[in-house]
Amino acid sequence: MERKAMCPGSFDPVTYGHVDIITRTSAIFDEVVVTVFDNPNKEHLFPLDRRIDMVRRAIADIPNVVVERGEGLLVECARKRGINVIIKGLRAISDFEYEFQMAQTNRALGNTVETLFMMTRPEHAYLSSSLVKELARHEADISEMVPPEVVRALARRGDSRDGEANSAFQISGGDDR
Ligand code: PNS
């Protein structure tokens, strides 16, 4: 039987921390579906299609990973795909409460999925999408944190920062990853 896992998230934008979790998951499972959602609790900098495109490019060289648009409930997306394992990355204790709540909720929704947590590498423990956006706003070097496509996309957002367009960067990702 094929072992499949789902790596869900909002990926706004994808970081090397995400790429590492996806890569390590792909070494354990036969097929990995990365599902990119809008998170209603966050105001996203990049539209969903753009985020999907950036994740696709970031993992293009991993043969057993596909990237899909997430719609509706995560547990339903997983069920339709015949997936019963959800993998989430954990950076620090601070992630735990949020992730614990989501895992318990997903279980309560149908008991069809198991959520497993993968510890991030220590070098990614500090890394988050919101931090990257904040650094990009200040034109800091983020090339060690995100793939080149994301560096370029964030720089382009920065280029349109004059006047009103600056609102593109007025977005707080909260505790996003
Ligand atoms: O990267 P994020 O923003 O922490 O990911 C959160 C995400 C997208 C995994 C979560 O919001 C989600 O599962 N959304 C799909 C809708 C759903 O099933 N909500 C209930 C989950 S507790």
Side-chain angles (χ1 to χ4, degrees):
M1 197 178 81
E2 277 228 316
R3 292 169 307 167
K4 299 186 200 173
M6 185 166 274
C7 291
S10 46
F11 303 100
D12 185 38
V14 65
T15 68
Y16 281 141
H18 296 124
V19 172
D20 179 56
I21 296 289
I22 295 166
T23 305
R24 286 159 61 202
T25 302
S26 77
I28 300 170
F29 291 86
D30 298 311
E31 187 187 339
V32 179
V33 179
V34 179
T35 315
V36 185
F37 284 91
D38 277 330
N39 183 338
N41 300 311
K42 295 175 183 170
E43 213 173 332
H44 297 301
L45 177 60
F46 293 103
L48 184 57
D49 285 344
R50 190 76 186 91
R51 282 180 274 134
I52 292 171
D53 184 54
M54 287 191 281
V55 181
R56 283 208 175 114
R57 286 166 191 257
I59 54 84
D61 57 345
I62 317 177
N64 59 334
V65 179
V66 293
V67 184
E68 289 187 348
R69 166 190 289 261
E71 269 163 37
L73 288 174
L74 170 58
V75 287
E76 281 302 311
C77 289
R79 195 186 53 78
K80 281 183 199 151
R81 274 302 218 133
I83 294 175
N84 56 17
V85 179
I86 292 171
I87 302 288
K88 301 296 297 273
L90 265 193
R91 288 166 300 191
I93 300 286
S94 53
D95 281 340
F96 182 77
E97 202 171 335
Y98 171 69
E99 293 296 346
F100 184 70
Q101 189 181 22
M102 280 200 289
Q104 300 285 32
T105 305
N106 286 331
R107 172 157 289 272
L109 283 171
N111 219 7
T112 52
V113 293
E114 292 288 354
T115 304
L116 304 183
F117 295 101
M118 186 177 279
M119 305 310 287
T120 57
R121 289 185 192 283
E123 60 266 38
H124 295 142
Y126 70 96
L127 190 52
S128 72
S129 297
S130 18
L131 178 88
V132 165
K133 284 180 279 195
E134 163 95 26
L135 291 174
R137 231 175 97 202
H138 295 286
E139 296 174 22
D141 180 6
I142 51 168
S143 57
E144 301 281 301
M145 303 175 195
V146 291
E149 166 69 13
V150 177
V151 175
R152 283 193 291 273
L154 282 165
R156 281 198 293 274
R157 303 296 295 220
D159 285 346
S160 59
R161 263 189 298 172
D162 298 333
E164 232 184 344
N166 198 14
S167 63
F169 267 122
Q170 302 300 308
I171 294 179
S172 94
D175 54 1
D176 74 7
R177 0 195 59 233

